[in-house]
Amino acid sequence: MILTVCLSPCIDVNIEVHSLNVGMSQKILNKRIFFTGKAMNVAMGLARLRADVFATGFMYEINGNQFEQALHKEGVPYKFVWNKGRVRENYKFIDHKSMLTEVDDVSPEISNEKQAELLQLIKLYVADCEALEVSGSLAKNMSPDYYAEILKLVPAGVKKIVDTEGARLIESLKTGVDLIKPNIGEIERTLKVRLDSKETMLKSCYKLLDMGAKRVLLSLGKQGAVITDGSKNYYCKSINVAMNSTIGAGDGMVAAASNALVKGAPLKDILRQGVAAGTAAITSPDSISFKKEKYEEILSALTVKEIN
């Protein structure tokens, strides 16, 4: 079983407009609402791959039942630590040029007692897991080392998978992590570097390996992804598909890569499956995750090459 830990659930309100002009009135062309959160999306992706998954994390009294319904629909079992307050809302505006403008909310504060309660819940479930995946942001009053507190609960032999950035990622790496999935912007912000060539990308990935990662899966957006364990480096180019939404693409990549990792897949297959799921996710405008049939179709068309 893979245990996913969602620390910051959110409601994504995706709004399509003809053009987004500050200070002017615009009519909504289309509006979609998703009950999401990075690890929540990973759980749904794993369920669509028929993996054994369990979701936990923080949840809030106002609108929290909508997340339960979403997970129930996907067949994902769950148990949350409930908090007072309202689930945060993120607004994503997409104009006719496919430009994305995001306005992200911050989760309500989590008390020390609730933080401890989640750690106890994770400790209870992780003993019977093959992997733990944790991703996303934290409530404004929480310390980045909460990631490390979670990962220190993971027994030897259980895989650790992390998708976050900045101080949260740095604290996580101190515990040793089996797989991380940054994108270019996240590496640049975390390491204070500029990734403008293959050489700088690989050099930064190697630095993350030195800091405690065993494998780095670097998302390159529509260009695909790179994976490295320090001994081998592979690149997988994505294929051209109709891009209906970018929401959840990275989480789809994490879901498929996590599933492959747990099954003992070689490095290049972890990469290929991750790229297939991430690509499939952008073809699904009405879902936060990917369709398994589309994933398998794309997977069969992808090739991986070794790079130096």
Side-chain angles (χ1 to χ4, degrees):
M1 181 177 76
I2 299 176
L3 178 66
T4 67
V5 183
C6 184
L7 300 174
S8 186
C10 63
I11 299 173
D12 273 356
V13 183
N14 298 349
I15 299 172
E16 293 180 29
V17 294
H18 180 70
S19 61
L20 187 60
N21 299 307
V22 176
M24 297 181 64
S25 176
Q26 282 111 168
K27 290 187 179 296
I28 293 176
L29 301 178
N30 196 8
K31 179 179 178 181
R32 299 185 181 94
I33 299 176
F34 300 105
F35 300 94
T36 178
K38 292 182 71 64
M40 199 88 65
N41 302 340
V42 172
M44 293 180 187
L46 285 164
R48 293 190 177 195
L49 292 171
R50 309 291 188 267
D52 185 12
V53 59
F54 190 92
T56 190
F58 295 122
M59 191 51 66
Y60 297 89
E61 292 174 355
I62 302 175
N63 287 335
N65 65 314
Q66 303 282 354
F67 291 81
E68 291 183 308
Q69 293 174 22
L71 289 171
H72 181 74
K73 183 179 178 180
E74 296 288 343
V76 177
Y78 57 86
K79 185 175 178 62
F80 294 120
V81 171
W82 287 84
N83 300 269
K84 293 181 179 180
R86 183 184 187 89
V87 178
R88 67 190 176 104
E89 295 180 356
N90 295 336
Y91 291 85
K92 303 178 188 295
F93 299 90
I94 305 170
D95 65 19
H96 72 290
K97 296 179 182 178
S98 296
M99 293 291 291
L100 175 65
T101 302
E102 301 187 53
V103 182
D104 292 345
D105 198 359
V106 179
S107 291
E109 291 189 1
I110 304 287
S111 69
N112 292 335
E113 291 75 17
K114 292 295 184 179
Q115 292 181 41
E117 184 179 339
L118 179 58
L119 293 176
Q120 288 302 313
L121 192 60
I122 292 169
K123 186 176 181 180
L124 175 66
Y125 285 113
V126 76
D128 298 321
C129 291
E130 296 171 281
L132 176 144
E133 189 277 336
V134 56
S135 51
S137 59
L138 293 168
K140 59 185 177 182
N141 68 311
M142 294 180 66
S143 170
D145 64 8
Y146 192 75
Y147 260 78
E149 292 187 53
I150 291 172
L151 295 167
K152 287 175 183 176
L153 298 173
V154 179
V158 177
K159 304 293 187 186
K160 303 175 188 177
I161 302 157
V162 173
D163 183 15
T164 191
E165 64 172 297
R168 298 186 300 273
L169 177 56
I170 292 170
E171 291 296 326
S172 298
L173 292 174
K174 293 176 182 178
T175 72
V177 179
D178 292 277
L179 177 68
I180 62 173
K181 188 224 59 76
N183 59 36
I184 289 177
E186 288 167 341
I187 286 188
E188 289 182 334
R189 291 188 292 271
T190 300
L191 299 180
K192 306 295 190 294
V193 296
R194 177 72 175 167
L195 304 190
D196 52 9
S197 67
K198 182 184 74 173
E199 289 73 24
T200 56
M201 283 190 285
L202 287 177
K203 183 178 179 180
S204 295
C205 288
Y206 295 157
K207 184 171 183 178
L208 292 169
L209 292 171
D210 291 339
M211 293 169 67
K214 293 182 181 179
R215 302 166 189 84
V216 179
L217 175 58
L218 172 60
S219 171
L220 306 177
K222 63 182 181 181
Q223 298 303 317
V226 168
I227 195 168
T228 181
D229 62 0
S231 298
K232 294 284 187 179
N233 312 311
Y234 294 102
Y235 169 66
C236 181
K237 180 177 173 57
S238 186
I239 62 172
N240 291 325
V241 294
M243 188 169 68
N244 294 310
S245 172
T246 60
I247 310 304
D251 304 323
M253 180 177 285
V254 173
S258 299
N259 189 47
L261 177 67
V262 165
K263 290 182 176 180
L267 198 64
K268 60 184 180 180
D269 287 345
I270 295 172
L271 170 64
R272 193 165 71 95
Q273 291 178 40
V275 172
T279 305
I282 69 175
T283 68
S284 304
D286 297 317
S287 173
I288 204 68
S289 192
F290 54 87
K291 292 181 172 61
K292 188 171 186 289
E293 297 78 11
K294 192 66 177 179
Y295 160 78
E296 292 173 341
E297 174 192 329
I298 293 171
L299 182 66
S300 66
L302 295 176
T303 58
V304 173
K305 68 176 183 179
E306 188 172 356
I307 59 174
N308 296 306

